[in-house]
Amino acid sequence: MAWDIDSTPISNQKFGRLRTRLLLSYLFVIASILTTFSVVVYALVAHDRHQQLNTHLRQVASASASTLEIIQHEYQELTTEGEYEEYKDSISTEADGTVIPITLSQLMRKYKADSDVDFVPSALAFADQGVEWFDPQQQLIVREGDLFPVTPLPNSVSPEGVLVQHGKIRSFILPVQLVSPSGTSQPLGYVRANASITRLKAELHRFRSGLVLGVAIVFGLVTLGGFWLTQESLKPILRGFEQLKQFTADASHELRNPLTAIRASIAVMQTHPERIHPADVDKLNAIASASTQMSQLVEDLLLLARMDRQASDQHTWRKIALDEMLEDLVDLYSDRAEVAQLSLNSQLLPYLEVYGDSTQLHRLFTNLLTNALQYTPPGGSVTVSLQRRETEALVCIKDTGIGIAPEQLPEIFNRFWRADPARRYHQSGSGLGLAIASAVVQRHHGKITVKSQLTLGSSFQVTFPLA
Ligand code: ADP
């Protein structure tokens, strides 16, 4: 399992991430609301428009149904009676003998000659519609309009009528019954009212485009507002965080002097052991050790506070030969490794130089190396290596120690964080070593990565741009 951090200052990086997370959550909520709103509005409008078209088709069909009996009667007259011979020319047949249905206007030509009455239903006054009248055998006899599906009527049609759609034509088919005064009914035929859904589709398409555009504009404005809102909402938190950092820096600074005085007094007392009561020697040693630990903690806190507050002062930077620095460090800690029964090895590529603050870099590698030595049981090994990776120097400090659980890897660079096994293994740690290490890496525009497996060991890799 590996974990890495990048090279922006920790607080900026964390607040930047928090701001992005807040903004993304806010935008996600708004996007969900807008999407749900547009889908619901579109579904309601589309449903309503389809219903309107269906209602229109039903109205046309039932208006046309009332004329079926007359139409059948007129058709019969036209086709059978000799006096209408001159109007018969409108009835023609296909090559296979099937009769081509005539239009209502053609059927009523014989009356139209003497009257101004328009026999075409007013509902058909606009384009993309059609009505067809069928006999009881589903044979089409008359039609009007300009839209007719090529499909035949379905075999069975419910008495209330049925809506069907073929391609871009929607039809309402209504069976017509002739009810005699005695109450008996007999099938008279069928009426089919047709309308094109192309116009409706185009209308809905325009509505959808308008909705999408509207939602996009609102979303754009909300995003801008979201930037401003998250910025504003984080300001008090940032202010509080700055005050906390200031407090830590001030408190550490104020603690430094009394601690120095305590340590100096203890040192003076220890130079005159004859003046100390034998029963108090152990207590004095414990006080000396605790005050040294506290001083170290205060120094670490001050260093972190300083690195948090000040931009890196690159005037003090110089070229540092990493191989020499690491070699010295390995030499320095070889005795300690021997006492802890660990093998401390180094594989250092020479002549790799980076720009930086030697004190801070020394501190970084010391923290990583002491951790490796502290958290590796006797018999294990620690290896410090230095390699070149393209334009970077890569320092790797690897141990065969207790390792870190994968879920704890994101935590290890947090201040005062210590894993439970580490607390048991080495009690006097403060949990600031890796926080300092990562702050130093960030100030040097580097990158720190950890790979670790519980009980098998850890490997901390640090890269810096080469000088
Ligand atoms: P400290 O070592 O004083 O506890 P650090 O900040 O240096 O604090 O380390 C934080 C924690 O990360 C340690 O307490 C330990 O749990 C874990 N850790 C760091 N280095 C190692 C390592 N080499 N092997 C195992 N655990 C480690």
Side-chain angles (χ1 to χ4, degrees):
M1 178 84 191
W3 191 259
D4 65 39
I5 55 170
D6 67 23
S7 55
T8 41
I10 293 180
S11 51
N12 285 358
Q13 187 189 333
K14 282 196 173 157
F15 279 107
R17 272 200 222 130
L18 180 62
R19 192 179 299 137
T20 314
R21 239 191 3 245
L22 266 178
L23 183 64
L24 288 181
S25 317
Y26 174 68
L27 292 183
F28 175 73
V29 171
I30 296 291
S32 311
I33 292 173
L34 285 177
T35 310
T36 314
F37 167 79
S38 356
V39 168
V40 170
V41 167
Y42 178 78
L44 286 176
V45 170
H47 179 259
D48 189 54
R49 293 292 293 113
H50 279 281
Q51 283 305 109
Q52 271 179 22
L53 182 66
N54 295 348
T55 309
H56 173 73
L57 283 174
R58 279 176 215 273
Q59 284 168 352
V60 173
S62 52
S64 308
S66 59
T67 61
L68 182 58
E69 193 182 358
I70 307 166
I71 285 172
Q72 280 183 357
H73 170 74
E74 296 299 332
Y75 188 77
Q76 192 145 14
E77 268 186 4
L78 182 71
T79 49
T80 55
E81 292 183 18
E83 64 178 288
Y84 300 119
E85 201 61 39
E86 59 175 302
Y87 299 108
K88 264 190 179 167
D89 58 346
S90 47
I91 301 179
S92 55
T93 51
E94 298 265 23
D96 61 1
T98 51
V99 178
I100 298 174
I102 59 168
T103 65
L104 191 58
S105 323
Q106 287 168 332
L107 177 68
M108 296 304 190
R109 228 159 19 128
K110 54 188 168 115
Y111 297 112
K112 184 105 175 137
D114 324 312
S115 106
D116 282 341
V117 179
D118 192 353
F119 295 98
V120 178
S122 59
L124 288 178
F126 56 90
D128 291 344
Q129 295 192 52
V131 179
E132 296 158 290
W133 288 264
F134 296 82
D135 65 13
Q137 289 73 44
Q138 299 196 341
Q139 181 68 45
L140 177 60
I141 47 176
V142 176
R143 65 188 183 184
E144 188 58 61
D146 58 7
L147 196 72
F148 312 106
V150 287
T151 47
L153 296 183
N155 288 337
S156 75
V157 181
S158 93
E160 295 80 39
V162 63
L163 268 168
V164 287
Q165 186 157 331
H166 295 287
K168 290 181 176 159
I169 303 177
R170 184 173 299 170
S171 312
F172 183 71
I173 303 161
L174 186 65
V176 186
Q177 304 277 335
L178 183 65
V179 185
S180 67
S182 61
T184 54
S185 63
Q186 68 179 80
L188 190 63
Y190 299 86
V191 171
R192 180 159 70 182
N194 312 306
S196 163
I197 57 160
T198 314
R199 193 195 298 254
L200 171 61
K201 287 240 156 140
E203 213 176 278
L204 287 178
H205 179 75
R206 274 199 304 280
F207 176 64
R208 203 168 48 224
S209 309
L211 209 57
V212 169
L213 185 69
V215 165
I217 292 172
V218 170
F219 193 71
L221 293 175
V222 163
T223 308
L224 290 180
F227 266 120
W228 181 79
L229 268 179
T230 42
Q231 204 99 341
E232 286 301 301
S233 60
L234 281 180
K235 267 185 190 165
I237 302 174
L238 265 169
R239 220 174 294 128
F241 188 69
E242 284 306 319
Q243 281 166 355
L244 193 69
K245 280 200 297 194
Q246 180 68 47
F247 170 78
T248 314
D250 293 347
S252 319
H253 198 262
E254 292 306 318
L255 281 170
R256 209 181 189 186
N257 293 342
L259 268 172
T260 313
I262 293 171
R263 288 182 64 199
S265 309
I266 295 169
V268 170
M269 286 170 80
Q270 283 176 328
T271 51
H272 299 285
E274 70 285 353
R275 289 191 210 156
I276 306 168
H277 191 279
D280 293 333
V281 171
D282 284 349
K283 287 178 198 150
L284 198 67
N285 287 342
I287 294 171
S289 147
S291 59
T292 308
Q293 221 173 311
M294 262 180 93
S295 293
Q296 185 58 49
L297 185 65
V298 166
E299 289 305 323
D300 284 354
L301 277 174
L302 259 179
L303 178 65
L304 273 172
R306 230 176 279 137
M307 286 200 280
D308 276 345
R309 292 168 59 77
Q310 292 165 6
S312 66
D313 179 11
Q314 298 194 359
H315 295 300
T316 59
W317 284 20
R318 58 181 182 80
K319 263 189 190 171
I320 293 160
L322 280 183
D323 56 317
E324 286 171 20
M325 180 180 270
L326 292 168
E327 185 74 70
D328 290 349
L329 208 62
V330 169
D331 285 347
L332 190 68
Y333 281 90
S334 56
D335 287 348
R336 184 165 156 185
E338 210 176 304
V339 171
Q341 297 167 37
L342 300 172
S343 91
L344 176 56
N345 315 300
S346 61
Q347 295 159 2
L348 308 171
L349 191 71
Y351 314 120
L352 288 189
E353 292 182 322
V354 295
Y355 269 114
D357 181 312
S358 65
T359 316
Q360 289 182 5
L361 288 181
H362 196 271
R363 186 67 200 275
L364 155 71
F365 296 127
T366 305
N367 286 3
L368 295 181
L369 183 58
T370 49
N371 274 352
L373 294 171
Q374 267 163 16
Y375 298 120
T376 304
S381 70
V382 173
T383 309
V384 179
S385 66
L386 171 65
Q387 299 159 40
R388 185 189 179 119
R389 193 196 267 170
E390 293 170 5
T391 56
E392 291 178 327
L394 168 67
V395 179
C396 178
I397 298 179
K398 193 172 175 197
D399 63 59
T400 58
I402 59 174
I404 304 162
E407 68 277 8
Q408 294 182 329
L409 281 176
E411 311 279 352
I412 59 172
F413 293 100
N414 289 344
R415 293 171 192 193
F416 295 111
W417 188 90
R418 303 194 72 209
D420 283 340
R423 282 176 200 277
R424 285 195 295 273
Y425 204 81
H426 175 69
Q427 286 168 0
S428 65
S430 66
L432 288 179
L434 287 183
I436 292 174
S438 77
V440 171
V441 171
Q442 284 160 6
R443 284 170 87 83
H444 285 79
H445 313 297
K447 191 168 177 175
I448 184 163
T449 324
V450 194
K451 286 184 192 145
S452 189
Q453 264 183 299
L454 214 50
T455 71
L456 291 181
S458 312
S459 162
F460 285 77
Q461 302 196 329
V462 184
T463 51
F464 290 117
L466 280 169

